């Protein structure tokens, strides 16, 4: 049950994170800015998918601290990311060039992780209920034997 709850919370936190970042990304698009920095630590910027194939995905994004454009390349294919799609990109102060978080890229995997967590939770709950019922039945039988 604990593993199921952990997977479910991880999946929920990722989905909340993507929802908040996409909301902030819409605000950036409306303002016309290239990037938005929060507390001089986290920067949210707009990325553009330059290649999307069966072997990898490449996203070009603006790096605010030196004003250049860099590419993030993932070794995983994602069919939802087609060429010339705008995607939100988040990076922090300590991250190097080319390392960032493309928001929503692993959404399908996190949804599957949440479903797996739900299945593990219910399996653990059912097994725990069966174990408790068996223990109560044995206690009742033991009590009735002592009474006789």
């Amino acid at each position: 049950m604990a593993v199921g709850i952990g997977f479910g919370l991880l999946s929920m936190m990722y989905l909340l994170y993507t929802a908040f970042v996409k909301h902030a990304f819409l605000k950036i698009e409306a303002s016309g800015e290239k990037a938005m920095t929060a507390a001089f630590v986290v920067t949210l910027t707009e990325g553009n998918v330059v290649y999307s194939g069966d072997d990898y995905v490449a996203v070009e994004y603006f790096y605010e601290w030196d004003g250049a454009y860099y590419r993030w390349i993932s070794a995983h294919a994602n069919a939802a990311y087609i060429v010339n799609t705008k995607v939100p990109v988040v990076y922090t102060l300590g991250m190097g060039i080319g390392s960032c978080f493309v928001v929503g890229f692993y959404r399908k995997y996190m949804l599957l992780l949440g479903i797996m967590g739900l299945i593990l939770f219910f399996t653990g709950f059912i097994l725990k209920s069966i174990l408790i019922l068996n223990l109560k039945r044995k206690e009742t039988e033991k009590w009735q034997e002592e009474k006789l």
Side-chain angles (χ1 to χ4, degrees):
M1 273 181 27
V3 173
I5 290 171
F7 284 167
L9 287 176
L10 178 68
S11 176
M12 183 181 69
M13 290 305 293
Y14 182 79
L15 294 176
L16 284 174
Y17 163 74
T18 58
F20 287 133
V21 169
K22 286 186 181 185
H23 178 68
F25 180 67
L26 292 175
K27 299 267 184 183
I28 290 175
E29 274 190 334
S31 70
E33 296 288 325
K34 285 187 177 183
M36 176 182 75
T37 303
F40 300 107
V41 177
V42 177
T43 301
L44 174 65
T45 186
E46 178 180 290
N48 188 21
V49 179
V50 291
Y51 179 79
S52 179
D54 292 335
D55 45 354
Y56 70 94
V57 174
V59 176
E60 188 175 70
Y61 67 96
F62 176 73
Y63 195 71
E64 183 185 26
W65 286 302
D66 65 356
Y69 284 90
Y70 293 99
R71 287 192 180 179
W72 173 79
I73 297 174
S74 173
H76 306 288
N78 193 334
Y81 283 64
I82 56 175
V83 178
N84 292 330
T85 303
K86 292 182 181 182
V87 293
V89 175
V90 175
Y91 54 90
T92 60
L93 182 63
M95 294 181 96
I97 296 167
S99 60
C100 61
F101 302 115
V102 176
V103 178
F105 191 79
Y106 297 110
R107 183 178 178 155
K108 179 177 80 172
Y109 301 113
M110 284 297 176
L111 287 172
L112 291 174
L113 185 69
I115 291 170
M116 187 173 67
L118 185 68
I119 291 169
L120 286 173
F121 174 77
F122 282 124
T123 303
F125 184 77
I126 291 169
L127 291 175
K128 184 178 177 184
S129 299
I130 291 171
L131 180 67
I132 289 172
L133 288 175
N134 283 339
L135 289 176
K136 283 186 178 182
R137 184 176 48 88
K138 286 182 181 180
E139 285 179 11
T140 307
E141 288 175 359
K142 185 178 178 184
W143 179 75
Q144 286 176 349
E145 287 177 5
E146 288 177 1
K147 197 173 184 180
L148 291 175

